[in-house]
Amino acid sequence: MPVRRSSIIGTVGRILLAVSSPALVAGCASTNATTATTAAPLRTAISATSTAATPSSSVVATSTTTSTTLPRPLVYVFPFTGKKVSYGRGHHDYPATDVFGCGATVVAPIGGIIEQTRRFDLWDPSVDDPSTRGGKYVSMVGDDGVRYYFAHLDSVDVWPGDVVTGGTPLGVMGRTGNARKSACHAHFGISWSCDAREWAVRRGEVWPWKYLDAWRAGEQLSPAAEVAAAEAEQPDACTLAGLAATASDA
C-alpha cells in the first residue's frame, strides 16, 4: 500500500511533499482436501522508511529500517528412523529406491512444505491403476526446490500445506498399494514438482541411493543440481504426465 508523508515547513506556506514507493509483497497458496500443490516458501525483505521534521529546522531527517527473514539452512537428514533399514541401488523401469524396514518412521529429509498426500489406500489389483499403486503416500517440496515422494505407507501424519523441518515424521512404512503383493517397504522417489496432478514424474526421475548413502553418513549431498539437469533434458515431462489417462487420480 502506498505510504504518503508530508511535512509543512515554515510559516509562509512552503510545503515539502515526500512520497515513498509502494512495497508489494505477494504470496500464493492453493490447497485441496485430498491433494494440494504449493510453491516453495516465499521469503521477502520489507523496508520501512520514516520521515521526521522539527519546527526549528527545514531539514528532513529520514531513517530506514530493514527486516529480513532469512531462508532456513539446507540441512539433509536420513529419512528413515526407528528401524534398521536396507535398500538397493536399482529399481525396475525408472529411477527410484525401495527401502525395506517394516514399521520404520518416514521423516522429511529436509525442511519444506507438504505438497500432496493420500490417506486412504485406493489401489484395486483388478484394475492396477498406476496412479494408485503407491497406496498411502506423502509428496513434499523441499527448501532446495526438490520434490520427495514416499509411498506404500501404513499411515500418513501430515496434511497438504503443512510446513515441516528436516526430521519431521511424515508417516510409517507399510504395505499399501501394490506393496500388498510384495514385502513391506517404502518407495522413495526424487523429482521436480509439476503444476498439474500426475504420477509419472512424481514417482522418480533421479536415482536416490547415493543421496541416501550420504545422508546416512551425515554428509550434506544435495540432489538439486541433478534434478535441475534432468528437468532441463525433459522440458515436456510434466505436460505429458498430466495428459496420462489416470493422471487426475494421482
PDB file of all heavy atoms in Angstrom, residues 157-182:
ATOM      1  N   ASP A 157       1.017 -38.867   8.524  1.00  0.00           N
ATOM      2  CA  ASP A 157       0.920 -37.997   9.692  1.00  0.00           C
ATOM      3  C   ASP A 157       0.879 -36.511   9.363  1.00  0.00           C
ATOM      4  O   ASP A 157       0.875 -35.677  10.283  1.00  0.00           O
ATOM      5  CB  ASP A 157       2.112 -38.252  10.623  1.00  0.00           C
ATOM      6  CG  ASP A 157       2.139 -39.669  11.165  1.00  0.00           C
ATOM      7  OD1 ASP A 157       1.060 -40.292  11.254  1.00  0.00           O
ATOM      8  OD2 ASP A 157       3.240 -40.165  11.481  1.00  0.00           O
ATOM      9  N   VAL A 158       0.854 -36.131   8.095  1.00  0.00           N
ATOM     10  CA  VAL A 158       0.870 -34.718   7.709  1.00  0.00           C
ATOM     11  C   VAL A 158      -0.252 -34.450   6.716  1.00  0.00           C
ATOM     12  O   VAL A 158      -0.878 -35.375   6.177  1.00  0.00           O
ATOM     13  CB  VAL A 158       2.231 -34.328   7.093  1.00  0.00           C
ATOM     14  CG1 VAL A 158       3.316 -34.284   8.157  1.00  0.00           C
ATOM     15  CG2 VAL A 158       2.617 -35.287   5.963  1.00  0.00           C
ATOM     16  N   TRP A 159      -0.475 -33.163   6.461  1.00  0.00           N
ATOM     17  CA  TRP A 159      -1.533 -32.720   5.542  1.00  0.00           C
ATOM     18  C   TRP A 159      -0.937 -31.779   4.502  1.00  0.00           C
ATOM     19  O   TRP A 159       0.066 -31.103   4.780  1.00  0.00           O
ATOM     20  CB  TRP A 159      -2.640 -31.996   6.304  1.00  0.00           C
ATOM     21  CG  TRP A 159      -3.379 -32.857   7.275  1.00  0.00           C
ATOM     22  CD1 TRP A 159      -3.025 -33.115   8.574  1.00  0.00           C
ATOM     23  CD2 TRP A 159      -4.579 -33.590   7.029  1.00  0.00           C
ATOM     24  NE1 TRP A 159      -3.944 -33.966   9.153  1.00  0.00           N
ATOM     25  CE2 TRP A 159      -4.910 -34.273   8.234  1.00  0.00           C
ATOM     26  CE3 TRP A 159      -5.408 -33.739   5.927  1.00  0.00           C
ATOM     27  CZ2 TRP A 159      -6.027 -35.083   8.349  1.00  0.00           C
ATOM     28  CZ3 TRP A 159      -6.534 -34.538   6.043  1.00  0.00           C
ATOM     29  CH2 TRP A 159      -6.829 -35.199   7.238  1.00  0.00           C
ATOM     30  N   PRO A 160      -1.542 -31.694   3.319  1.00  0.00           N
ATOM     31  CA  PRO A 160      -1.069 -30.734   2.318  1.00  0.00           C
ATOM     32  C   PRO A 160      -1.033 -29.317   2.895  1.00  0.00           C
ATOM     33  O   PRO A 160      -1.963 -28.885   3.575  1.00  0.00           O
ATOM     34  CB  PRO A 160      -2.111 -30.851   1.195  1.00  0.00           C
ATOM     35  CG  PRO A 160      -2.614 -32.254   1.322  1.00  0.00           C
ATOM     36  CD  PRO A 160      -2.663 -32.534   2.788  1.00  0.00           C
ATOM     37  N   GLY A 161       0.038 -28.622   2.633  1.00  0.00           N
ATOM     38  CA  GLY A 161       0.207 -27.271   3.143  1.00  0.00           C
ATOM     39  C   GLY A 161       1.000 -27.190   4.425  1.00  0.00           C
ATOM     40  O   GLY A 161       1.440 -26.099   4.812  1.00  0.00           O
ATOM     41  N   ASP A 162       1.197 -28.321   5.109  1.00  0.00           N
ATOM     42  CA  ASP A 162       1.998 -28.309   6.338  1.00  0.00           C
ATOM     43  C   ASP A 162       3.446 -27.917   6.026  1.00  0.00           C
ATOM     44  O   ASP A 162       4.034 -28.410   5.060  1.00  0.00           O
ATOM     45  CB  ASP A 162       2.006 -29.684   6.998  1.00  0.00           C
ATOM     46  CG  ASP A 162       0.713 -30.017   7.715  1.00  0.00           C
ATOM     47  OD1 ASP A 162      -0.160 -29.125   7.805  1.00  0.00           O
ATOM     48  OD2 ASP A 162       0.561 -31.159   8.189  1.00  0.00           O
ATOM     49  N   VAL A 163       4.009 -27.076   6.847  1.00  0.00           N
ATOM     50  CA  VAL A 163       5.423 -26.727   6.745  1.00  0.00           C
ATOM     51  C   VAL A 163       6.187 -27.627   7.711  1.00  0.00           C
ATOM     52  O   VAL A 163       5.823 -27.735   8.885  1.00  0.00           O
ATOM     53  CB  VAL A 163       5.652 -25.243   7.083  1.00  0.00           C
ATOM     54  CG1 VAL A 163       7.138 -24.914   7.080  1.00  0.00           C
ATOM     55  CG2 VAL A 163       4.917 -24.352   6.091  1.00  0.00           C
ATOM     56  N   VAL A 164       7.216 -28.290   7.213  1.00  0.00           N
ATOM     57  CA  VAL A 164       7.958 -29.248   8.024  1.00  0.00           C
ATOM     58  C   VAL A 164       9.435 -28.879   8.052  1.00  0.00           C
ATOM     59  O   VAL A 164       9.925 -28.140   7.196  1.00  0.00           O
ATOM     60  CB  VAL A 164       7.795 -30.689   7.484  1.00  0.00           C
ATOM     61  CG1 VAL A 164       6.340 -31.119   7.547  1.00  0.00           C
ATOM     62  CG2 VAL A 164       8.316 -30.803   6.048  1.00  0.00           C
ATOM     63  N   THR A 165      10.142 -29.407   9.031  1.00  0.00           N
ATOM     64  CA  THR A 165      11.589 -29.277   9.097  1.00  0.00           C
ATOM     65  C   THR A 165      12.198 -30.648   8.865  1.00  0.00           C
ATOM     66  O   THR A 165      11.502 -31.670   8.923  1.00  0.00           O
ATOM     67  CB  THR A 165      12.029 -28.729  10.465  1.00  0.00           C
ATOM     68  OG1 THR A 165      11.559 -29.611  11.496  1.00  0.00           O
ATOM     69  CG2 THR A 165      11.465 -27.343  10.703  1.00  0.00           C
ATOM     70  N   GLY A 166      13.479 -30.688   8.588  1.00  0.00           N
ATOM     71  CA  GLY A 166      14.140 -31.976   8.420  1.00  0.00           C
ATOM     72  C   GLY A 166      13.982 -32.825   9.665  1.00  0.00           C
ATOM     73  O   GLY A 166      14.240 -32.360  10.774  1.00  0.00           O
ATOM     74  N   GLY A 167      13.536 -34.065   9.492  1.00  0.00           N
ATOM     75  CA  GLY A 167      13.307 -34.951  10.618  1.00  0.00           C
ATOM     76  C   GLY A 167      11.870 -34.991  11.102  1.00  0.00           C
ATOM     77  O   GLY A 167      11.536 -35.819  11.956  1.00  0.00           O
ATOM     78  N   THR A 168      10.989 -34.137  10.570  1.00  0.00           N
ATOM     79  CA  THR A 168       9.571 -34.185  10.945  1.00  0.00           C
ATOM     80  C   THR A 168       8.957 -35.501  10.477  1.00  0.00           C
ATOM     81  O   THR A 168       9.072 -35.856   9.298  1.00  0.00           O
ATOM     82  CB  THR A 168       8.797 -33.020  10.306  1.00  0.00           C
ATOM     83  OG1 THR A 168       9.297 -31.783  10.799  1.00  0.00           O
ATOM     84  CG2 THR A 168       7.305 -33.119  10.617  1.00  0.00           C
ATOM     85  N   PRO A 169       8.274 -36.254  11.348  1.00  0.00           N
ATOM     86  CA  PRO A 169       7.643 -37.502  10.914  1.00  0.00           C
ATOM     87  C   PRO A 169       6.564 -37.250   9.851  1.00  0.00           C
ATOM     88  O   PRO A 169       5.722 -36.373  10.008  1.00  0.00           O
ATOM     89  CB  PRO A 169       7.018 -38.049  12.208  1.00  0.00           C
ATOM     90  CG  PRO A 169       7.809 -37.428  13.306  1.00  0.00           C
ATOM     91  CD  PRO A 169       8.162 -36.053  12.813  1.00  0.00           C
ATOM     92  N   LEU A 170       6.624 -38.023   8.786  1.00  0.00           N
ATOM     93  CA  LEU A 170       5.647 -37.925   7.697  1.00  0.00           C
ATOM     94  C   LEU A 170       4.664 -39.081   7.721  1.00  0.00           C
ATOM     95  O   LEU A 170       3.523 -38.938   7.270  1.00  0.00           O
ATOM     96  CB  LEU A 170       6.364 -37.907   6.346  1.00  0.00           C
ATOM     97  CG  LEU A 170       7.437 -36.834   6.143  1.00  0.00           C
ATOM     98  CD1 LEU A 170       8.053 -36.973   4.760  1.00  0.00           C
ATOM     99  CD2 LEU A 170       6.865 -35.438   6.352  1.00  0.00           C
ATOM    100  N   GLY A 171       5.094 -40.238   8.202  1.00  0.00           N
ATOM    101  CA  GLY A 171       4.246 -41.422   8.216  1.00  0.00           C
ATOM    102  C   GLY A 171       5.064 -42.634   8.628  1.00  0.00           C
ATOM    103  O   GLY A 171       6.204 -42.511   9.077  1.00  0.00           O
ATOM    104  N   VAL A 172       4.465 -43.795   8.433  1.00  0.00           N
ATOM    105  CA  VAL A 172       5.096 -45.055   8.830  1.00  0.00           C
ATOM    106  C   VAL A 172       5.126 -45.994   7.635  1.00  0.00           C
ATOM    107  O   VAL A 172       4.138 -46.124   6.895  1.00  0.00           O
ATOM    108  CB  VAL A 172       4.332 -45.706  10.003  1.00  0.00           C
ATOM    109  CG1 VAL A 172       4.929 -47.065  10.350  1.00  0.00           C
ATOM    110  CG2 VAL A 172       4.349 -44.789  11.220  1.00  0.00           C
ATOM    111  N   MET A 173       6.273 -46.638   7.419  1.00  0.00           N
ATOM    112  CA  MET A 173       6.430 -47.588   6.321  1.00  0.00           C
ATOM    113  C   MET A 173       5.422 -48.731   6.456  1.00  0.00           C
ATOM    114  O   MET A 173       5.152 -49.209   7.544  1.00  0.00           O
ATOM    115  CB  MET A 173       7.849 -48.153   6.334  1.00  0.00           C
ATOM    116  CG  MET A 173       8.176 -49.076   5.175  1.00  0.00           C
ATOM    117  SD  MET A 173       9.801 -49.873   5.339  1.00  0.00           S
ATOM    118  CE  MET A 173      10.897 -48.472   5.391  1.00  0.00           C
ATOM    119  N   GLY A 174       4.855 -49.150   5.316  1.00  0.00           N
ATOM    120  CA  GLY A 174       3.856 -50.216   5.360  1.00  0.00           C
ATOM    121  C   GLY A 174       3.821 -51.048   4.093  1.00  0.00           C
ATOM    122  O   GLY A 174       4.839 -51.256   3.446  1.00  0.00           O
ATOM    123  N   ARG A 175       2.625 -51.466   3.736  1.00  0.00           N
ATOM    124  CA  ARG A 175       2.472 -52.289   2.537  1.00  0.00           C
ATOM    125  C   ARG A 175       1.163 -51.977   1.830  1.00  0.00           C
ATOM    126  O   ARG A 175       0.417 -52.872   1.410  1.00  0.00           O
ATOM    127  CB  ARG A 175       2.599 -53.776   2.879  1.00  0.00           C
ATOM    128  CG  ARG A 175       1.656 -54.290   3.936  1.00  0.00           C
ATOM    129  CD  ARG A 175       2.018 -55.712   4.353  1.00  0.00           C
ATOM    130  NE  ARG A 175       2.298 -56.551   3.211  1.00  0.00           N
ATOM    131  CZ  ARG A 175       3.139 -57.601   3.256  1.00  0.00           C
ATOM    132  NH1 ARG A 175       3.737 -57.935   4.386  1.00  0.00           N
ATOM    133  NH2 ARG A 175       3.338 -58.336   2.180  1.00  0.00           N
ATOM    134  N   THR A 176       0.881 -50.697   1.657  1.00  0.00           N
ATOM    135  CA  THR A 176      -0.330 -50.291   0.941  1.00  0.00           C
ATOM    136  C   THR A 176      -0.047 -50.197  -0.557  1.00  0.00           C
ATOM    137  O   THR A 176       1.088 -50.235  -1.007  1.00  0.00           O
ATOM    138  CB  THR A 176      -0.857 -48.945   1.467  1.00  0.00           C
ATOM    139  OG1 THR A 176       0.164 -47.943   1.336  1.00  0.00           O
ATOM    140  CG2 THR A 176      -1.246 -49.056   2.939  1.00  0.00           C
ATOM    141  N   GLY A 177      -1.125 -50.044  -1.332  1.00  0.00           N
ATOM    142  CA  GLY A 177      -0.975 -50.050  -2.782  1.00  0.00           C
ATOM    143  C   GLY A 177      -0.532 -51.421  -3.251  1.00  0.00           C
ATOM    144  O   GLY A 177      -0.874 -52.439  -2.643  1.00  0.00           O
ATOM    145  N   ASN A 178       0.255 -51.465  -4.318  1.00  0.00           N
ATOM    146  CA  ASN A 178       0.665 -52.775  -4.826  1.00  0.00           C
ATOM    147  C   ASN A 178       1.742 -53.435  -3.979  1.00  0.00           C
ATOM    148  O   ASN A 178       2.178 -54.541  -4.283  1.00  0.00           O
ATOM    149  CB  ASN A 178       1.086 -52.709  -6.296  1.00  0.00           C
ATOM    150  CG  ASN A 178       2.311 -51.845  -6.528  1.00  0.00           C
ATOM    151  OD1 ASN A 178       2.850 -51.243  -5.606  1.00  0.00           O
ATOM    152  ND2 ASN A 178       2.735 -51.781  -7.782  1.00  0.00           N
ATOM    153  N   ALA A 179       2.148 -52.780  -2.871  1.00  0.00           N
ATOM    154  CA  ALA A 179       3.041 -53.431  -1.920  1.00  0.00           C
ATOM    155  C   ALA A 179       2.309 -54.520  -1.135  1.00  0.00           C
ATOM    156  O   ALA A 179       2.949 -55.297  -0.427  1.00  0.00           O
ATOM    157  CB  ALA A 179       3.639 -52.419  -0.956  1.00  0.00           C
ATOM    158  N   ARG A 180       0.996 -54.583  -1.263  1.00  0.00           N
ATOM    159  CA  ARG A 180       0.235 -55.679  -0.647  1.00  0.00           C
ATOM    160  C   ARG A 180       0.702 -57.019  -1.190  1.00  0.00           C
ATOM    161  O   ARG A 180       0.564 -58.045  -0.538  1.00  0.00           O
ATOM    162  CB  ARG A 180      -1.259 -55.527  -0.940  1.00  0.00           C
ATOM    163  CG  ARG A 180      -1.950 -54.431  -0.159  1.00  0.00           C
ATOM    164  CD  ARG A 180      -3.430 -54.439  -0.491  1.00  0.00           C
ATOM    165  NE  ARG A 180      -3.900 -53.157  -0.982  1.00  0.00           N
ATOM    166  CZ  ARG A 180      -4.994 -52.997  -1.713  1.00  0.00           C
ATOM    167  NH1 ARG A 180      -5.713 -54.049  -2.072  1.00  0.00           N
ATOM    168  NH2 ARG A 180      -5.357 -51.796  -2.095  1.00  0.00           N
ATOM    169  N   LYS A 181       1.231 -56.994  -2.385  1.00  0.00           N
ATOM    170  CA  LYS A 181       1.656 -58.235  -3.034  1.00  0.00           C
ATOM    171  C   LYS A 181       3.171 -58.402  -2.994  1.00  0.00           C
ATOM    172  O   LYS A 181       3.734 -59.215  -3.714  1.00  0.00           O
ATOM    173  CB  LYS A 181       1.160 -58.256  -4.490  1.00  0.00           C
ATOM    174  CG  LYS A 181      -0.356 -58.322  -4.608  1.00  0.00           C
ATOM    175  CD  LYS A 181      -0.782 -58.441  -6.062  1.00  0.00           C
ATOM    176  CE  LYS A 181      -2.270 -58.718  -6.189  1.00  0.00           C
ATOM    177  NZ  LYS A 181      -2.661 -60.037  -5.678  1.00  0.00           N
ATOM    178  N   SER A 182       3.841 -57.592  -2.164  1.00  0.00           N
ATOM    179  CA  SER A 182       5.304 -57.696  -2.054  1.00  0.00           C
ATOM    180  C   SER A 182       5.704 -57.478  -0.599  1.00  0.00           C
ATOM    181  O   SER A 182       4.860 -57.322   0.276  1.00  0.00           O
ATOM    182  CB  SER A 182       5.984 -56.661  -2.959  1.00  0.00           C
ATOM    183  OG  SER A 182       5.678 -55.344  -2.534  1.00  0.00           O
TER     184      SER A 182
END
